[in-house]
Amino acid sequence: VANDLSGSLELNVHLWTQIGVGLDCITQLVVKEKSEHISNEGMKLLVSDGASKNLRIVWHPHLPFYLEGACSIRQGKSDFAIEAVRIANSVETKREIFRLNKMIANGIADQGQGSLFREAGDLSRFGFHECSIWISSRLPTADDDEEILYKFGKLSQMSWYDARLRKVVKSFNLSESDVFALRGVFDDMLQGRVKTSILI
């Protein structure tokens, strides 16, 4: 990601991102302060504990903070993956983000699906003056049409469609094709059981 997280300190602290799809995408990102007396081994334990809760923790022994990214889909929650990350390391770069947000809000610029940037963490409290991390991801709103948001499509017309399936689709952000593929596997297994029963 462009720009040094340490700003004018020029410590060459950089953030790297990876583009992907699927259940392991990070949907939330926060900056957290490291405990003052935590050791490197303690941080490794924190990473391991986070992984068991579908949290990705990134840290460095020389930094007083760490990043915690949540894989909400793995946690069984409906959410959208982070589409973009920006670093503001000066007053001007922060103004650029504000300007971009204004353009997105007015429909002039397109960032992903038109999602505004929001602050994931202010690093100035760690001595990184005027530095902050900003993320962009779609946020479901009360005005969103559920049918479009979760793409139920033809699913609602199926005889096996019910409230339980609707909840699973929303919880794991499944597409219509995902559900039909799973249903196909289930049907194949069911046919195999019927054939076995007839043979017996």
Side-chain angles (χ1 to χ4, degrees):
V1 181
N3 296 333
D4 184 344
L5 276 171
S6 64
S8 58
L9 295 176
E10 297 183 356
L11 300 176
N12 287 319
V13 181
H14 293 278
L15 179 62
W16 297 80
T17 61
Q18 184 176 13
I19 297 173
V21 296
L23 301 178
D24 293 316
C25 284
I26 293 175
T27 56
Q28 301 290 334
L29 183 69
V30 292
V31 177
K32 293 194 169 181
E33 184 174 8
K34 263 201 243 177
S35 175
E36 187 178 352
H37 303 293
I38 195 166
S39 65
N40 288 348
E41 290 305 313
M43 281 305 301
K44 289 175 184 176
L45 286 173
L46 187 66
V47 170
S48 179
D49 182 57
S52 70
K53 299 172 183 172
N54 294 302
L55 298 171
R56 298 278 182 88
I57 293 174
V58 179
W59 63 286
H60 189 280
H62 297 146
L63 295 177
F65 61 87
Y66 62 92
L67 304 182
E68 182 181 276
C71 303
S72 300
I73 309 303
R74 284 277 184 205
Q75 295 172 341
K77 303 172 187 174
S78 54
D79 213 338
F80 293 93
I82 293 173
E83 299 166 351
V85 179
R86 286 196 172 220
I87 293 169
N89 62 356
S90 66
V91 173
E92 183 52 38
T93 51
K94 188 175 280 190
R95 282 180 184 155
E96 285 175 17
I97 292 174
F98 291 154
R99 278 195 295 267
L100 180 57
N101 272 350
K102 188 173 181 181
M103 291 172 70
I104 293 169
N106 292 328
I108 301 169
D110 180 25
Q111 174 59 49
Q113 297 180 10
S115 308
L116 298 175
F117 280 91
R118 61 188 186 278
E119 191 175 69
D122 182 3
L123 305 182
S124 59
R125 60 193 173 114
F126 303 112
F128 289 8
H129 186 60
E130 294 293 348
C131 294
S132 52
I133 300 174
W134 295 72
I135 59 173
S136 168
S137 63
R138 180 162 177 197
L139 297 173
T141 68
D143 296 330
D144 276 323
D145 183 340
E146 255 194 2
E147 200 69 25
I148 296 171
L149 188 60
Y150 294 104
K151 299 180 176 64
F152 292 110
K154 295 179 181 177
L155 290 176
S156 56
Q157 301 169 15
M158 299 295 116
S159 61
W160 37 264
Y161 176 82
D162 60 14
R164 290 179 306 162
L165 178 60
R166 189 178 189 88
K167 182 178 179 182
V168 169
V169 169
K170 290 168 66 176
S171 294
F172 293 95
N173 209 8
L174 298 174
S175 68
E176 184 180 4
S177 60
D178 290 335
V179 177
F180 278 118
L182 290 169
R183 178 68 192 195
V185 172
F186 174 76
D187 286 341
D188 289 343
M189 291 172 60
L190 190 61
Q191 286 175 6
R193 286 178 61 185
V194 170
K195 287 177 182 177
T196 303
S197 297
I198 292 171
L199 287 172
I200 291 173

